[in-house]
Amino acid sequence: VQLQASGGGLVQPGGSLRLSCAASGPIFGIADMAWHRQAPGKQRELVATITSDGITNYSDSVKGRFTISRDNAKNTVDLQMNSLKPDDTAVYYCNADLKVLRETYPRYYDYWGQGTLVTVSS
């Protein structure tokens, strides 16, 4: 079971980028999904979350510019990033509560993707 993130890259200020993250493996369910980011020399911060019912929440720094969405049939979560700023430069990580079987019965565990670098620069 793993989360695989993709879609990072170099973009100019004001540009857009879409990140995707897919959960794979024997999964019995997915609860909350989220994107976090960590800029150089800074602590990791929560960017956006989405519940299994589609309720979203955003950090103040990205509200109105980023949109998180998920496809429950495909076990994916995306982050559409518009009006990007140099301050958005960071490694972005997807995160999800995945219901998997490790011992006697399936239960939720916290999983993280490997991170994808987003660089906003002219």
Side-chain angles (χ1 to χ4, degrees):
V1 176
Q2 64 175 353
L3 290 174
Q4 184 72 35
S6 62
L10 173 64
V11 62
Q12 293 186 342
S16 298
L17 209 58
R18 189 176 184 89
L19 305 181
S20 294
C21 179
S24 61
I27 300 169
F28 292 83
I30 304 178
D32 293 352
M33 306 184 84
W35 286 93
H36 303 248
R37 67 185 181 186
Q38 186 166 20
K42 295 186 178 180
Q43 290 187 332
R44 189 173 297 187
E45 65 169 336
L46 178 63
V47 174
T49 62
I50 185 167
T51 69
S52 57
D53 295 331
I55 297 172
T56 59
N57 197 21
Y58 300 91
S59 68
D60 288 342
S61 61
V62 307
K63 199 172 294 183
R65 299 187 298 121
F66 290 12
T67 302
I68 188 171
S69 61
R70 64 190 283 172
D71 186 328
N72 291 331
K74 296 181 179 179
N75 292 341
T76 59
V77 59
D78 291 350
L79 185 68
Q80 177 66 42
M81 305 183 293
N82 299 328
S83 303
L84 282 161
K85 307 173 182 179
D87 284 349
D88 295 318
T89 295
V91 177
Y92 284 72
Y93 298 90
C94 59
N95 164 239
D97 294 325
L98 305 181
K99 191 173 186 180
V100 302
L101 177 63
R102 288 187 182 177
E103 298 176 347
T104 56
Y105 58 91
R107 54 176 293 183
Y108 285 98
Y109 294 89
D110 190 39
Y111 280 81
W112 289 81
Q114 84 284 8
T116 183
L117 177 62
V118 173
T119 303
V120 184
S121 175
S122 55

